[in-house]
């Protein structure tokens, strides 16, 4: 199985510069510096790499959108990883910090950036220390700082810790937070590529996205574009969690059937129970019923199935689960994490939670399900940022696919009152 | 009266150096974090001091500080237990384990033991979902929890 990111992830002391270099690390720099920056951007475009943070936007294209001739420019690495179910960036940061540093250097060279901030969620204090140590090693070796390897590139990379807010993973909220503000999203346009950090052109990329860049520079765009499907190139780290025997992060070639991920890589369902449902891309994307388990894991197939690849978190549920319970838990999450800036999300997430809570605790009435759908309809596409749409995904898809779970709880209630 | 230590001052200088001269507001979260970690809370006094250093009004600092869940107005215990209750942990039985932990510590969820040793909070996903159920105590992640393991972990902290 082709692996780009995880082939050596469990190598002892990979987090040290010495071992990372022994494994062929930092070779991408000389290769890149022999080319013009724009050639690297074209390479990344041709590789077909798409953002691994959730939205799947083509990476090379994003880089090419930077406002022409406006400097300074910034790179912000999104290490906020807080989409429920997702734990892949944590493993990369912990075990292979130099891979990310190399990726950030390559991006900075391509985009003529001299300052990088790694925005880590506040709870990643331990990873921040690992990253700081790796950065010190890279500075000492001359991979960071002034005139790197004689290329003329000057580059500083800094860490920046958040302080607990899911919304700060959204790129414009991340920028506000990094500027010392409340983590509320910004109006777009202007997009960060035009006016981002400190109103300067800014690239924002996910940890995993940047970690793929050294492979592309070392092996060529074609090599990367040859992996995966027509529209989904390369591999994806999939965080498998929930009711599987071997939960973990697995690197799969895009297009791998979900059945293979659940049953071969993750060892199948616990206690050999029956699969009921799965969420393929983190809590913000619609869940699918078991009969969709042969869907290939790639952007286009998941979209055709009515959901999204998202952050690559595959959450697996067996037949013991009542979907209302799950939707209620996620509704509580989105209510808690709504930044409060816009009304449909701030109020709507609370109403959803209240109704789900009533149904879950046996106080639901037959009309509640339609009421829920009505609220979802008033949130969908009416919010300032995508968090609102994310909040309704588990609820709508839960009702569409597992209405019986709702009816069961509501009927139980009706039966109880009848007595 | 809140005062930063000499050690802190060095740290603050390092932090300020990360950002462009005219953008020192960016240092706000890092400075609040410094205080929260040392004092176990962020007092109004500390906010005023930070505000003065960064040319920010107390009201502004307060509004930012209150947005983020990792800053607390009153002191948390020596060990802050964040117990993940989000989906992957829910599917793996975190609710019972959280109840077990609260009972063991003899506090409500959200509360602090009288000796100020432990504070227990429900937490949203902490990005360790494949190790569910999990909790974070101060900076350490504990994964694949069972009630026995929790007892053992709590017992090992002094
Ligand atoms: C509510 C919300 C939360 C997000 N959280 C994250 C996150 O934790 N990590 C991340 O990389 N992207 C997150 N994103 C996506 C970012 O906005 C952005 O698309 C991404 O960082 C871009 O990088 P990429 O193109 O490399 O994927 C989030 C988006 C939204 C709307
Ligand atoms: S949709 Fe929610 S999180 Fe996004 S801006 Fe509106 S209130 Fe804030
Ligand atoms: S759901 Fe508990 S760590 Fe992610």
């Amino acid at each position: 199985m082709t692996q780009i990111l995880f082939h050596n992830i469990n190598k002892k002391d990979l987090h040290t510069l010495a071992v990372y270099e022994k494994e062929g690390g930092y070779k991408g720099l000389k290769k890149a510096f022999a080319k013009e920056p724009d050639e690297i951007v074209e390479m990344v475009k041709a590789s077909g790499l798409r953002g691994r943070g959730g939205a799947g936007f083509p990476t090379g294209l994003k880089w090419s959108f930077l406002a022409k001739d406006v400097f300074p420019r910034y790179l912000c690495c999104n290490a906020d990883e807080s989409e429920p179910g997702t734990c892949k960036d944590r493993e990369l940061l912990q075990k292979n910090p130099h891979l990310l540093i190399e990726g950030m250097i390559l991006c900075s060279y391509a985009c003529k950036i001299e300052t990088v901030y790694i925005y880590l969620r506040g709870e990643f204090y331990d990873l921040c220390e690992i990253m700081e140590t790796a950065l010190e090693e890279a500075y000492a070796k001359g991979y960071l700082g002034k005139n790197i390897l004689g290329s003329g590139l000057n580059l500083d990379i800094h860490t920046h810790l958040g302080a607990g807010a899911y919304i700060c993973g959204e790129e414009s909220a991340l920028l506000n937070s990094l500027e010392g503000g409340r983590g509320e999203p910004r109006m777009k346009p202007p997009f960060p590529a035009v006016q981002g950090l400190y109103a300067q052109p800014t690239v924002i990329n996910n940890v995993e996205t940047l970690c793929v860049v050294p492979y592309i520079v070392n092996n060529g765009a074609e090599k990367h574009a040859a992996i995966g499907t027509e529209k989904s190139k390369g591999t994806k780290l999939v965080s498998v969690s929930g009711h599987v025997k071997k939960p973990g992060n697995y690197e799969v070639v895009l297009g791998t059937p979900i059945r293979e991920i659940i049953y071969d890589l993750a060892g199948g369902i616990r206690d050999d129970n029956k699969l009921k449902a799965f969420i393929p891309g983190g809590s913000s994307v619609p869940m699918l019923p078991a009969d969709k388990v042969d869907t290939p894991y790639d952007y286009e197939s998941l979209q055709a199935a009515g959901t999204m690849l998202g952050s690559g978190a595959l959450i697996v549920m067996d037949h013991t689960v009542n979907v209302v319970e799950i939707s209620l838990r996620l509704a509580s999450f989105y209510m808690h994490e709504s930044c409060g800036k816009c009304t449909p999300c701030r109020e709507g997430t609370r109403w959803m939670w209240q109704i789900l809570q009533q149904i879950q605790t046996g106080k639901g009435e037959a009309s509640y399900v339609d009421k829920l759908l009505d609220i979802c309809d008033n949130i969908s596409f009416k919010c300032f940022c995508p968090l609102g749409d994310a909040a309704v995904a588990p609820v709508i898809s839960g009702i569409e696919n597992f209405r019986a779970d709702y009816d069961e709880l509501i009927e139980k209630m009706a039966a109880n009152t009848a007595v | 009266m809140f005062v930063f230590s000499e050690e802190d001052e060095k740290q603050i200088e390092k932090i300020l150096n990360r950002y462009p001269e005219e953008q020192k507001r960016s240092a706000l979260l890092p400075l609040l974090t410094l205080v929260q970690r040392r004092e176990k809370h962020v007092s109004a006094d500390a906010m005023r001091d930070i505000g003065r250093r960064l040319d920010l009004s107390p009201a502004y600092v307060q509004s930012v500080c209150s947005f983020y869940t990792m800053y607390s107005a009153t002191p948390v215990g020596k060990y802050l237990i964040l117990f993940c209750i989000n989906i992957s942990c829910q599917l793996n039985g975190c609710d019972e384990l959280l109840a077990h932990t609260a009972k063991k510590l003899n506090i409500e969820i959200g509360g602090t033991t009288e000796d100020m040793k432990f504070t227990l909070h429900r937490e949203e996903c902490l990005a360790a979902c494949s190790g569910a159920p999990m909790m974070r105590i101060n900076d350490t992640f504990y994964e694949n929890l069972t009630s026995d393991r929790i007892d053992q972990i709590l017992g090992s902290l002094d």
Side-chain angles (χ1 to χ4, degrees):
Chain A
M1 190 169 234
T2 313
Q3 294 204 312
I4 291 175
L5 300 171
F6 265 13
H7 60 96
N8 61 354
I9 195 75
N10 287 317
K11 181 109 199 158
K12 191 168 176 288
D13 295 330
L14 181 64
H15 66 280
T16 63
L17 182 78
V19 174
Y20 180 69
E21 284 189 313
K22 215 179 278 164
E23 290 285 300
Y26 287 113
K27 287 227 176 79
L29 302 192
K30 280 223 170 87
K31 282 207 169 157
F33 297 160
K35 296 187 161 72
E36 287 298 313
D38 282 347
E39 287 177 67
I40 308 292
V41 177
E42 288 309 314
M43 238 177 140
V44 174
K45 263 193 204 166
S47 76
L49 175 63
R50 293 170 63 168
R52 304 301 195 218
F57 194 82
T59 307
L61 197 60
K62 183 186 272 192
W63 295 2
S64 72
F65 285 162
L66 283 166
K68 297 271 167 293
D69 304 320
V70 185
F71 298 95
R73 296 168 169 181
Y74 294 99
L75 166 63
C76 296
C77 168
N78 192 339
D80 193 60
E81 188 161 70
S82 21
E83 172 77 0
T86 320
C87 51
K88 61 182 178 88
D89 295 340
R90 181 169 168 79
E91 187 161 354
L92 283 171
L93 290 160
Q94 187 170 35
K95 297 182 178 169
N96 205 353
H98 284 288
L99 179 64
L100 176 60
I101 296 175
E102 185 171 359
M104 293 187 292
I105 299 172
L106 294 171
C107 169
S108 301
Y109 177 72
C111 299
K112 302 181 182 146
I113 287 165
E114 298 199 335
T115 312
V116 180
Y117 294 99
I118 312 172
Y119 186 99
L120 298 126
R121 63 180 294 177
E123 295 88 349
F124 281 178
Y125 199 87
D126 55 336
L127 301 186
C128 188
E129 288 184 326
I130 292 173
M131 190 46 79
E132 295 270 353
T133 308
L135 288 170
E136 273 169 34
E137 284 182 308
Y139 271 106
K141 194 71 195 261
Y143 293 146
L144 290 173
K146 296 262 175 275
N147 192 17
I148 299 166
L149 307 182
S151 65
L153 173 69
N154 303 323
L155 183 64
D156 284 311
I157 301 182
H158 307 285
T159 58
H160 184 101
L161 281 163
Y166 168 65
I167 189 60
C168 289
E170 192 282 328
E171 55 186 22
S172 67
L174 183 152
L175 294 174
N176 276 342
S177 178
L178 183 47
E179 290 181 4
R182 292 163 66 89
E184 287 166 0
R186 294 178 181 175
M187 189 68 135
K188 291 185 226 173
F191 288 95
V194 177
Q195 273 185 34
L197 186 65
Y198 310 134
Q200 295 296 120
T202 302
V203 174
I204 300 165
N205 273 132
N206 170 258
V207 170
E208 182 184 348
T209 313
L210 290 164
C211 284
V212 178
V213 177
Y215 177 90
I216 296 170
V217 170
N218 277 314
N219 300 282
E222 301 71 32
K223 193 90 186 279
H224 184 265
I227 307 167
T229 71
E230 174 82 42
K231 289 192 180 130
S232 301
K233 301 300 187 191
T235 66
K236 179 78 191 78
L237 298 183
V238 184
S239 302
V240 189
S241 71
H243 293 155
V244 289
K245 287 183 188 157
K246 291 192 294 175
N249 290 313
Y250 298 97
E251 180 170 15
V252 305
V253 171
L254 284 163
T256 303
I258 291 173
R259 180 187 295 279
E260 246 177 83
I261 305 176
I262 296 179
Y263 290 93
D264 297 345
L265 295 173
I269 312 296
R270 64 165 186 187
D271 306 329
D272 293 320
N273 281 352
K274 248 181 73 191
L275 174 68
K276 174 166 181 166
F278 58 92
I279 306 181
S283 68
S284 300
V285 312
M287 65 178 86
L288 292 176
D291 63 12
K292 292 280 171 59
V293 73
D294 290 307
T295 310
Y297 201 81
D298 59 51
Y299 295 97
E300 63 276 18
S301 306
L302 285 165
Q303 195 177 353
T307 182
M308 282 182 292
L309 186 140
S311 62
L314 178 58
I315 305 163
V316 180
M317 294 168 258
D318 70 14
H319 74 272
T320 63
V321 165
N322 182 310
V323 161
V324 177
E325 235 181 304
I326 301 301
S327 300
L328 171 63
R329 190 62 56 104
L330 293 177
S332 152
F333 167 72
Y334 289 107
M335 171 180 71
H336 187 227
E337 299 299 336
S338 166
C339 83
K341 185 181 174 111
C342 68
T343 321
C345 169
R346 184 185 61 236
E347 303 301 324
T349 51
R350 180 163 298 272
W351 292 343
M352 277 202 303
W353 175 78
Q354 280 169 345
I355 294 179
L356 281 161
Q357 173 83 9
Q358 299 259 313
I359 299 175
Q360 170 71 27
T361 53
K363 298 187 199 94
E365 288 171 24
S367 63
Y368 281 20
V369 180
D370 288 331
K371 208 180 274 176
L372 257 182
L373 286 173
D374 187 47
I375 295 171
C376 289
D377 189 47
N378 278 302
I379 297 175
S380 297
F381 304 112
K382 294 182 181 71
C383 292
F384 191 80
C385 92
L387 188 140
D389 297 331
V392 302
V395 179
I396 297 180
S397 60
I399 295 174
E400 276 173 358
N401 293 299
F402 301 102
R403 177 98 189 204
D405 286 14
Y406 281 82
D407 293 343
E408 188 191 319
L409 282 167
I410 291 168
E411 276 159 23
K412 217 188 310 170
M413 155 73 194
N416 284 346
T417 5
V419 173
Chain B
M1 181 62 203
F2 178 85
V3 253
F4 281 108
S5 68
E6 225 169 278
E7 179 86 1
D8 291 339
E9 294 293 351
K10 276 191 217 136
Q11 189 64 29
I12 292 172
E13 200 183 308
K14 246 176 78 184
I15 291 170
L16 283 168
N17 277 333
R18 292 182 194 152
Y19 311 101
E21 185 76 42
E22 66 289 357
Q23 303 290 353
K24 60 183 175 181
R25 196 179 72 162
S26 278
L28 181 51
L29 265 60
L31 292 197
L32 290 169
T33 299
L34 193 72
V35 175
Q36 173 72 38
R37 290 179 68 81
R38 207 191 65 191
E39 304 281 306
K40 302 284 178 189
H41 76 298
V42 184
S43 65
D45 230 23
M47 282 190 230
R48 260 193 302 278
D49 184 307
I50 291 174
R52 264 196 302 273
R53 287 163 189 266
L54 304 180
D55 297 328
L56 300 169
S57 73
Y60 179 82
V61 177
Q62 164 72 38
S63 86
V64 173
C65 192
S66 65
F67 185 85
Y68 297 93
T69 54
M70 289 180 76
Y71 305 128
S72 50
T74 52
V76 294
K78 179 174 175 196
Y79 295 104
L80 175 60
I81 307 172
L82 302 179
F83 215 104
C84 175
I85 48 90
N86 212 301
I87 182 163
S88 310
C89 291
Q90 177 192 19
L91 292 171
N92 284 289
C94 69
D95 293 356
E96 293 79 44
L97 292 179
L98 173 60
H100 169 87
T101 309
K103 197 164 153 220
K104 177 101 190 160
L105 296 173
N106 196 19
I107 50 176
E108 304 265 306
I109 297 163
T112 300
T113 54
E114 252 170 55
D115 59 1
M116 291 303 287
K117 188 166 166 189
F118 294 104
T119 297
L120 177 63
H121 280 304
R122 268 192 198 91
E123 188 53 76
E124 298 298 354
C125 177
L126 283 162
C129 324
S130 60
M134 66 79 60
M135 64 180 172
R136 175 180 186 260
I137 304 184
N138 291 351
D139 297 332
T140 310
F141 283 58
Y142 297 93
E143 305 183 13
N144 302 309
L145 296 175
T146 59
S147 49
D148 285 349
R149 242 198 109 221
I150 291 173
D151 294 351
Q152 200 190 337
I153 293 162
L154 295 180
S156 72
L157 299 171
D158 53 26

mmCIF file of all heavy atoms in Angstrom, chain A residues 83-86, chain B residues 84-90 124-130 132 134, ligand 3:
data_model
loop_
_atom_site.group_PDB
_atom_site.id
_atom_site.type_symbol
_atom_site.label_atom_id
_atom_site.label_comp_id
_atom_site.label_asym_id
_atom_site.label_seq_id
_atom_site.Cartn_x
_atom_site.Cartn_y
_atom_site.Cartn_z
ATOM 1 N N GLU A 83 -11.962 19.124 15.144
ATOM 2 C CA GLU A 83 -13.156 18.513 14.569
ATOM 3 C C GLU A 83 -13.362 17.150 15.241
ATOM 4 O O GLU A 83 -12.491 16.280 15.151
ATOM 5 C CB GLU A 83 -12.943 18.326 13.058
ATOM 6 C CG GLU A 83 -14.011 17.535 12.343
ATOM 7 C CD GLU A 83 -15.289 18.321 12.082
ATOM 8 O OE1 GLU A 83 -15.356 19.508 12.465
ATOM 9 O OE2 GLU A 83 -16.219 17.736 11.519
ATOM 10 N N PRO A 84 -14.502 16.980 15.943
ATOM 11 C CA PRO A 84 -14.678 15.710 16.663
ATOM 12 C C PRO A 84 -14.438 14.481 15.779
ATOM 13 O O PRO A 84 -14.946 14.390 14.666
ATOM 14 C CB PRO A 84 -16.119 15.803 17.142
ATOM 15 C CG PRO A 84 -16.303 17.269 17.398
ATOM 16 C CD PRO A 84 -15.567 17.930 16.258
ATOM 17 N N GLY A 85 -13.641 13.573 16.284
ATOM 18 C CA GLY A 85 -13.280 12.360 15.563
ATOM 19 C C GLY A 85 -11.893 12.422 14.947
ATOM 20 O O GLY A 85 -11.340 11.406 14.538
ATOM 21 N N THR A 86 -11.319 13.605 14.875
ATOM 22 C CA THR A 86 -10.063 13.792 14.142
ATOM 23 C C THR A 86 -8.855 13.833 15.069
ATOM 24 O O THR A 86 -8.814 14.630 16.001
ATOM 25 C CB THR A 86 -10.122 15.120 13.350
ATOM 26 O OG1 THR A 86 -11.418 15.273 12.790
ATOM 27 C CG2 THR A 86 -9.079 15.143 12.257
ATOM 28 N N CYS B 84 -12.959 14.096 28.115
ATOM 29 C CA CYS B 84 -13.637 14.246 26.821
ATOM 30 C C CYS B 84 -14.965 13.504 26.824
ATOM 31 O O CYS B 84 -15.034 12.342 27.199
ATOM 32 C CB CYS B 84 -12.779 13.735 25.675
ATOM 33 S SG CYS B 84 -13.695 13.791 24.115
ATOM 34 N N ILE B 85 -16.026 14.199 26.396
ATOM 35 C CA ILE B 85 -17.347 13.575 26.346
ATOM 36 C C ILE B 85 -17.889 13.601 24.915
ATOM 37 O O ILE B 85 -19.059 13.343 24.682
ATOM 38 C CB ILE B 85 -18.344 14.258 27.301
ATOM 39 C CG1 ILE B 85 -18.322 15.772 27.154
ATOM 40 C CG2 ILE B 85 -18.042 13.912 28.735
ATOM 41 C CD1 ILE B 85 -19.245 16.331 26.174
ATOM 42 N N ASN B 86 -17.024 13.917 23.952
ATOM 43 C CA ASN B 86 -17.530 13.993 22.577
ATOM 44 C C ASN B 86 -17.684 12.600 21.958
ATOM 45 O O ASN B 86 -17.401 11.579 22.579
ATOM 46 C CB ASN B 86 -16.644 14.913 21.730
ATOM 47 C CG ASN B 86 -17.460 15.625 20.668
ATOM 48 O OD1 ASN B 86 -18.090 14.989 19.834
ATOM 49 N ND2 ASN B 86 -17.477 16.941 20.710
ATOM 50 N N ILE B 87 -18.120 12.597 20.705
ATOM 51 C CA ILE B 87 -18.695 11.401 20.085
ATOM 52 C C ILE B 87 -17.879 10.113 20.213
ATOM 53 O O ILE B 87 -18.396 9.088 20.637
ATOM 54 C CB ILE B 87 -19.081 11.694 18.617
ATOM 55 C CG1 ILE B 87 -19.722 10.475 17.963
ATOM 56 C CG2 ILE B 87 -17.926 12.214 17.799
ATOM 57 C CD1 ILE B 87 -20.493 10.789 16.699
ATOM 58 N N SER B 88 -16.592 10.147 19.873
ATOM 59 C CA SER B 88 -15.821 8.896 19.885
ATOM 60 C C SER B 88 -15.663 8.372 21.303
ATOM 61 O O SER B 88 -15.645 7.160 21.538
ATOM 62 C CB SER B 88 -14.448 9.106 19.250
ATOM 63 O OG SER B 88 -14.582 9.742 18.009
ATOM 64 N N CYS B 89 -15.552 9.301 22.241
ATOM 65 C CA CYS B 89 -15.439 8.899 23.640
ATOM 66 C C CYS B 89 -16.799 8.437 24.158
ATOM 67 O O CYS B 89 -16.889 7.471 24.916
ATOM 68 C CB CYS B 89 -14.867 10.044 24.470
ATOM 69 S SG CYS B 89 -13.120 10.347 24.067
ATOM 70 N N GLN B 90 -17.867 9.108 23.721
ATOM 71 C CA GLN B 90 -19.225 8.698 24.088
ATOM 72 C C GLN B 90 -19.471 7.254 23.645
ATOM 73 O O GLN B 90 -19.985 6.432 24.406
ATOM 74 C CB GLN B 90 -20.239 9.626 23.407
ATOM 75 C CG GLN B 90 -21.695 9.257 23.652
ATOM 76 C CD GLN B 90 -22.649 10.019 22.728
ATOM 77 O OE1 GLN B 90 -22.256 10.546 21.690
ATOM 78 N NE2 GLN B 90 -23.910 10.076 23.121
ATOM 79 N N GLU B 124 -14.817 19.011 25.317
ATOM 80 C CA GLU B 124 -15.125 18.562 23.951
ATOM 81 C C GLU B 124 -13.906 17.846 23.384
ATOM 82 O O GLU B 124 -12.849 17.828 23.996
ATOM 83 C CB GLU B 124 -15.534 19.762 23.087
ATOM 84 C CG GLU B 124 -16.793 20.491 23.574
ATOM 85 C CD GLU B 124 -18.056 19.633 23.585
ATOM 86 O OE1 GLU B 124 -17.995 18.484 23.094
ATOM 87 O OE2 GLU B 124 -19.093 20.092 24.106
ATOM 88 N N CYS B 125 -14.056 17.293 22.191
ATOM 89 C CA CYS B 125 -13.026 16.444 21.579
ATOM 90 C C CYS B 125 -11.618 17.029 21.711
ATOM 91 O O CYS B 125 -11.356 18.160 21.382
ATOM 92 C CB CYS B 125 -13.357 16.236 20.102
ATOM 93 S SG CYS B 125 -12.113 15.281 19.220
ATOM 94 N N LEU B 126 -10.695 16.210 22.185
ATOM 95 C CA LEU B 126 -9.320 16.654 22.416
ATOM 96 C C LEU B 126 -8.335 16.064 21.402
ATOM 97 O O LEU B 126 -7.131 16.048 21.629
ATOM 98 C CB LEU B 126 -8.900 16.288 23.839
ATOM 99 C CG LEU B 126 -9.468 17.205 24.932
ATOM 100 C CD1 LEU B 126 -9.390 16.550 26.301
ATOM 101 C CD2 LEU B 126 -8.728 18.540 24.959
ATOM 102 N N ALA B 127 -8.853 15.569 20.290
ATOM 103 C CA ALA B 127 -7.998 15.050 19.225
ATOM 104 C C ALA B 127 -7.185 13.831 19.664
ATOM 105 O O ALA B 127 -5.995 13.714 19.363
ATOM 106 C CB ALA B 127 -7.082 16.138 18.658
ATOM 107 N N ALA B 128 -7.835 12.956 20.387
ATOM 108 C CA ALA B 128 -7.203 11.678 20.721
ATOM 109 C C ALA B 128 -8.252 10.583 20.559
ATOM 110 O O ALA B 128 -8.280 9.609 21.310
ATOM 111 C CB ALA B 128 -6.661 11.718 22.145
ATOM 112 N N CYS B 129 -9.116 10.758 19.573
ATOM 113 C CA CYS B 129 -10.336 9.954 19.427
ATOM 114 C C CYS B 129 -10.059 8.463 19.234
ATOM 115 O O CYS B 129 -10.877 7.633 19.601
ATOM 116 C CB CYS B 129 -11.159 10.478 18.277
ATOM 117 S SG CYS B 129 -11.094 12.267 18.141
ATOM 118 N N SER B 130 -8.934 8.122 18.638
ATOM 119 C CA SER B 130 -8.656 6.704 18.443
ATOM 120 C C SER B 130 -8.149 6.073 19.737
ATOM 121 O O SER B 130 -7.959 4.868 19.808
ATOM 122 C CB SER B 130 -7.661 6.494 17.299
ATOM 123 O OG SER B 130 -6.454 7.143 17.605
ATOM 124 N N ALA B 132 -9.926 6.682 22.535
ATOM 125 C CA ALA B 132 -11.089 6.907 23.397
ATOM 126 C C ALA B 132 -11.378 5.681 24.263
ATOM 127 O O ALA B 132 -11.144 4.564 23.812
ATOM 128 C CB ALA B 132 -12.319 7.216 22.534
ATOM 129 N N MET B 134 -10.830 9.073 26.781
ATOM 130 C CA MET B 134 -9.578 9.720 27.184
ATOM 131 C C MET B 134 -9.827 10.944 28.050
ATOM 132 O O MET B 134 -10.927 11.484 28.087
ATOM 133 C CB MET B 134 -8.768 10.114 25.942
ATOM 134 C CG MET B 134 -9.363 11.180 25.045
ATOM 135 S SD MET B 134 -9.161 12.874 25.603
ATOM 136 C CE MET B 134 -7.378 12.999 25.670
HETATM 137 S S1 LIG C 3 -14.025 12.435 20.848
HETATM 138 FE FE1 LIG C 3 -12.885 12.216 22.681
HETATM 139 S S2 LIG C 3 -10.896 12.771 22.009
HETATM 140 FE FE2 LIG C 3 -12.057 13.062 20.210
#
